[in-house]
Amino acid sequence: MDPSTLPLPPMKDLTVDNITENAIAMNSLCEDPRMKYVLERLVTHLHDFARETRLSTNEWMQGLLFLTEVGKICSDVRQEFILLSDILGLSILVDSIDHPKPPNSAATEGTVLGPFHTHDASELPAGSTMSADPNGQPLLVVCSVKDTAGNPLPGIKVDVWETDSSGHYDVQYAGREGPDGRCILRTDEQGTLWFRAITPVPYPIPHDGPVGRLLKALRRHPYRPSHMHFLMQGSGFEELVTALYLRNDPYETTDAVFGVKDSLVVDIERAGPEYATKYNVPEDHALLRYDFVLVSEAETTALRERNSKIALDKLGMKVRMVGGLPVPDLD
């Protein structure tokens, strides 16, 4: 590439005060408007961060080495970068921005995906047992899935995963031979699903790596409250990544990854005569019930665009939407 053919201003005598505008100018030929905008804001905020903190060379190098360690520990079954995003609150922020819920609706709120979702769970029929752990407290899970108008949604794909009774996911075991504590189900014609699992327990996120050392330096604990993950997909509906959290868990209000929301906190009940008869379990069997509500893709897209324009207008930025995402409106 011949630099003389590029319509860029000459860059000389770069200083603390002018490096940002020059770096942005260097990136200005990008043909993807969204990428160009994201990089412009990234460079701006990174440079402002360095200026505001008066970042030292030693601290900068420590940061680079930390990120290098995060990358080195990542594997097919451990995603330390997701873990880092989670404990910084970035994951829950991005989810909330990208998957808004209609105000004053019953739409189920989302939460963090976490680093332990896999794509090898088996699809099981209704009533199946998803955990082979003999030490867990047996749990009957009965749920419904509806749209925001209250109509049942049949055929929704529901991906479920949880830890075993010791607080470990299957992928954390070196001798893992296949999925356990996870499954895929489909809602029936009434939009319901039911399966057998074990009662979730609290557990620490992996803290034997760089993220764990960061938590220790911040005097933060690594624990997550008891919960069960759900990922729901259906044609015409916004994908829902969420989880249900057990009420009165010791870590309910100090979740290491900021995932708990009031609407997702549930009670463990007892089956009682009705559920015992219908699902063939003892009356004192642990029961988890929940009614999920999905939002249509069209509704979410419109809400996302509206929220983007409102938020950026408050920052004095005029934008237009490209592919559902904001870019500067230079016209």
Side-chain angles (χ1 to χ4, degrees):
M1 181 181 292
D2 182 357
S4 66
T5 65
L6 301 178
L8 290 171
M11 298 183 192
K12 293 193 268 185
D13 300 322
L14 299 178
T15 68
V16 167
D17 296 320
N18 70 15
I19 180 59
T20 303
E21 62 188 77
N22 278 281
I24 290 172
M26 186 67 82
N27 296 333
S28 65
L29 298 184
C30 178
E31 296 179 348
D32 182 330
R34 177 64 180 176
M35 182 178 179
K36 177 181 175 181
Y37 173 56
V38 169
L39 262 293
E40 175 192 316
R41 304 318 303 162
L42 177 64
V43 168
T44 297
H45 290 296
L46 280 176
H47 287 203
D48 284 346
F49 164 76
R51 279 187 285 260
E52 290 170 10
T53 61
R54 310 313 296 174
L55 193 66
S56 71
T57 302
N58 182 54
E59 290 170 327
W60 169 74
M61 182 55 71
Q62 286 184 47
L64 294 181
L65 293 176
F66 171 77
L67 293 176
T68 300
E69 291 184 50
V70 170
K72 284 182 177 179
I73 205 170
C74 289
S75 68
D76 291 340
V77 295
R78 177 166 180 169
Q79 233 303 347
E80 194 82 354
F81 272 111
I82 290 180
L83 207 59
L84 177 60
S85 175
D86 289 349
I87 67 105
L88 293 177
L90 180 60
S91 299
I92 194 67
L93 173 60
V94 171
D95 178 80
S96 299
I97 291 171
D98 199 39
H99 301 283
K101 307 303 176 186
N104 303 316
S105 77
T108 303
E109 292 188 280
T111 189
V112 294
L113 176 70
F116 293 113
H117 176 257
T118 70
H119 296 280
D120 63 350
S122 301
E123 184 159 342
L124 303 178
S128 296
T129 300
M130 65 179 263
S131 174
D133 182 0
N135 300 315
Q137 178 191 25
L139 176 69
L140 173 65
V141 182
V142 181
C143 300
S144 70
V145 184
K146 300 177 181 179
D147 64 17
T148 52
N151 301 305
L153 297 177
I156 297 296
K157 179 182 177 182
V158 183
D159 198 337
V160 188
W161 66 104
E162 65 169 339
T163 71
D164 62 17
S165 58
S166 71
H168 293 86
Y169 289 94
D170 56 352
V171 294
Q172 292 180 280
Y173 291 103
R176 179 182 188 263
E177 296 180 353
D180 186 39
R182 59 182 78 238
C183 69
I184 294 173
L185 304 119
R186 303 271 177 175
T187 56
D188 63 19
E189 289 303 313
Q190 288 72 48
T192 62
L193 69 146
W194 69 281
F195 59 97
R196 303 172 192 273
I198 61 173
T199 301
V201 298
Y203 65 88
I205 61 175
H207 56 287
D208 58 340
V211 169
R213 292 195 294 275
L214 176 60
L215 287 176
K216 186 175 182 179
L218 296 171
R219 298 189 66 190
R220 286 175 54 184
H221 71 71
Y223 280 86
R224 297 218 63 204
S226 310
H227 64 280
M228 181 179 292
H229 292 275
F230 294 83
L231 190 159
M232 300 190 176
Q233 298 170 312
S235 178
F237 289 90
E238 180 77 358
E239 178 179 274
L240 174 65
V241 176
T242 193
L244 299 179
Y245 299 87
L246 303 195
R247 195 180 312 279
N248 297 323
D249 184 279
Y251 304 105
E252 180 183 335
T253 59
T254 60
D255 182 7
V257 304
F258 307 100
V260 180
K261 297 179 180 179
D262 287 343
S263 66
L264 302 177
V265 177
V266 298
D267 295 295
I268 295 295
E269 308 172 64
R270 297 300 161 190
E274 178 184 353
Y275 283 85
T277 300
K278 185 173 183 178
Y279 296 102
N280 191 29
V281 296
E283 289 190 13
D284 64 349
H285 197 283
L287 169 67
L288 187 159
R289 295 185 297 165
Y290 197 80
D291 298 320
F292 293 96
V293 177
L294 303 187
V295 182
S296 72
E297 287 181 341
E299 191 172 14
T300 300
T301 297
L303 188 57
R304 186 188 298 122
E305 292 187 5
R306 190 192 73 179
N307 289 349
S308 294
K309 290 179 179 178
I310 291 174
L312 294 175
D313 183 64
K314 289 180 179 178
L315 296 175
M317 302 173 65
K318 186 180 179 183
V319 299
R320 58 188 174 91
M321 307 304 293
V322 174
L325 296 169
V327 298
D329 187 355
L330 303 178
D331 296 334

